[in-house]
Amino acid sequence: FIELYSGPASGYPIVNVIEKGELVEVLLKRTSWLKIKDQRNNIGWLNEKDLFALTQQGEKIIQSELTLTDFQKRTYEAGVMYGDFEGADFYNIYLAYTLSPVFSAEVATGKALGNISDSDLFELMLIAQPFPELTVIPYIGVGGGVIRTQPHSVLADAKKRQDATMAAAIGVKYHITRNFFLRGEYKYSLVLTNRDDNEEVQLWKVGFSIFF
């Protein structure tokens, strides 16, 4: 049998039990706790780990749902993001590899579509997340890359440019469910031009990502 609690934690009082072979309806999931209703309409909470025992053949039942722990132990992540690049629409994709629970390396490519010019951005970032055990994971990043700018104007002095960039970023990641999470980021970049002064660029973006 499985004991049912009045709330989503083992500290709550036990209000009922489910006997072997009973069918239950899952009403709500909160972290690893399930609110269920049994065949007699009794309602209570149980931990999902209680459902993972042995089959009739003696084989262990494997939990198929990915959890926050899986998110924290991910090896790769990939995603798409959209944002504002100094007033231009910005789209990018990225792929990251986890070096340790705290550090990961990320390669990204993006495109900014503006009224005056379009830009292609290629970057390599080192990401540090000092609190990987949290549900909402803050992170910081540093890196650099290349930006290619194509002006829309046909004037003689409107030339294509390719410049190096240095960047610093701060953001958060939030695990939604299974292997999906949301990500938001602010990035400050310095474009190293061959003119007298360098350019400062600010980028805000949000996106949807997966891990595996």
Side-chain angles (χ1 to χ4, degrees), residues 190-200:
L190 190 64
V191 181
L192 308 177
T193 70
N194 55 10
R195 301 188 297 276
D196 293 336
D197 58 342
N198 298 321
E199 297 179 1
E200 299 179 356

Side-chain angles (χ1 to χ4, degrees), residues 8 29 111 129 153 190 196 199:
K29 185 176 189 297
K111 190 172 188 67
Q129 43 192 36
S153 174
L190 190 64
D196 293 336
E199 297 179 1

Side-chain angles (χ1 to χ4, degrees), residues 66-141:
L66 297 174
T67 65
L68 178 61
T69 301
D70 298 300
F71 174 55
Q72 294 164 349
K73 294 181 179 180
R74 65 196 180 280
T75 302
Y76 295 97
E77 65 179 71
V80 295
M81 304 186 76
Y82 169 79
D84 180 88
F85 184 86
E86 293 293 333
D89 292 326
F90 184 78
Y91 307 86
N92 92 297
I93 59 175
Y94 76 92
L95 176 67
Y97 174 74
T98 301
L99 305 173
S100 74
V102 175
F103 294 102
S104 62
E106 178 178 303
V107 59
T109 179
K111 190 172 188 67
L113 303 175
N115 295 325
I116 300 176
S117 64
D118 296 338
S119 298
D120 295 306
L121 185 62
F122 307 92
E123 285 186 314
L124 178 63
M125 300 285 292
L126 177 64
I127 305 295
Q129 43 192 36
F131 308 105
E133 72 282 358
L134 299 180
T135 302
V136 179
I137 301 178
Y139 68 88
I140 57 175

